[in-house]
Amino acid sequence: MSEQLIIFDTTLRDGEQSPGASMTRDEKVRIAKALERMRVDVIEAGFPIASEGDFESVKAVANAIKDSTVCGLARALDKDIDRAGEALKGANSARIHTFIATSPIHMKMKLRMEPDAVVEQAVRAVKRARQFTDNVEFSPEDAGRSELDFLCRVLEAVIDAGATTVNIPDTVGYNLPHQFGSLIANLIERVPNSDKAVFSVHCHNDLGMAVANSLAAVAQGARQVECTINGLGERAGNAALEEIVMAVSTRQDVFDCNVDHLDRTQIVSCSRLVSSITGFTVQPNKAIVGANAFAHESGIHQDGVLKSRETYEIMRAEDVGWSANRMVLGKHSGRNAFRTRLQELGVSFAGEEELNAAFVRFKALADKKHEIFDDDLQALVTEASLDAENERVKLVALKVCSETGETPSALVTLKIDGAEKTATASGSGPVDAAFKAIESLVNSGAELQLYSVNNITSGTDSQGEVTVRLEQDGRIVNGQGADTDIVIASAKAYINTLNRVLVPVDRQHPQV
Ligand code: KIV
Ligand code: ZN
């Protein structure tokens, strides 16, 4: 039996660092549950010192997850580590991940610290983290541009201090696969106590090499890969979990480690969940989880696949969960069936009132659409995932008029901070008219950066899921809305995003 490759998912932490991808506490719990269903080994739930909201999210994930290890990020500072330790108190299995930069440019320009002081602070941080848990990970940030001798020195010192995982980040996505692979091989060979820790990698995708670099490292002995669903993450993103996992499982002839412990049939639903919550849609030609990843268009390919699947397919669509979007509920399903399925999907309700409100929305949807799938349920919950106190703007009514040869118009009634207001506007289409009417009432001044519509399931009775991205004073915010009527879905998405824009944020970025 080959060794297991540890899959460390950082969708909720590094993924959330993508501009506009911020998630609420409940959304994070839902994604964490989906990752747990996939049997991901480690879930990095956030950066607890960043804000009260981040702390609460890590705490909620730590309390909700039973089978995966839950990890919290901390700079190599006492206050960060103590906060992470506190947030992770309720976890069945907790890890603290602490880091400090080790590249000459980061030490000089960002930290303004001498190398000796960096080593000292790294050691101190690991020792402090060990007071909370014996599962401690250390990352030399920007390792991909650090000097080899210095990296060896830091790693030896932190392993001696008690780090059980040492993670090598290519923070700015600068490395090429052959370089990164040999960096890992060199480190494992030259660090005298390298056998006392698991070597991990964390690659960014600035040159499109994140997955290739991670796999090159695995081939050289790395036994943990840090990755995110759909490759979400800072700038061009992180290594995509689905690509790492499927590369290792499909090419067992090459890798001497395996991912057999993962339930790979959860991949597609997890990808959809992350995309629907963050509003970061998946391109159709994206490997594994793109809509076309298993579609055979050309006649020659179709003929080949029909004669023998292996002619053109190296994986089976069903192995990654393409047919797993089960029809779960319908018009006659009761409250219990509804609650149970949502619980299985990681959604719990604060009380009967919240359950009743969601059930009313479900019944309204079931009246319009006879078969309700898991993805419909997820969208139903995503749409309502704002905390009540943060929902300052509510859609009361919308009427649009769209007719050939006429200018489309919209009549919108909103409840803003409890007061009902109505406006009309015309536009180049019904969605444009509705957005103009809404903005005339809210006066946010936010600029529309992205508007996209996707069908949640197939068929013309499918719900349309709309993503809206707004920018206000440099801050980017995404929101979603779903409905079988795409104009209403669009208005809901716009209002959802405006509500997020209207909530002030005060949050630290871990790497500045
Ligand atoms: O990219 C990076 O270096 C990170 C570290 C915090 C691991 O995200
Ligand atoms: Zn990163």
Side-chain angles (χ1 to χ4, degrees), residues 407-420:
T407 304
S409 62
L411 172 69
V412 175
T413 303
L414 302 179
K415 202 177 248 184
I416 305 176
D417 294 328
E420 258 187 36

Side-chain angles (χ1 to χ4, degrees), residues 13-14 73 97 99 139 141-142 167 169 171 202 204 511:
R13 197 279 296 170
D14 213 320
L73 184 72
H97 175 190
F99 72 99
S139 292
E141 190 194 357
D142 204 17
N167 176 48
T171 303
H202 174 113
H204 278 272
Q511 287 156 302

Side-chain angles (χ1 to χ4, degrees), residues 14-26:
D14 213 320
E16 206 199 20
Q17 284 172 217
S18 314
S22 67
M23 307 164 213
T24 65
R25 185 197 56 198
D26 292 351

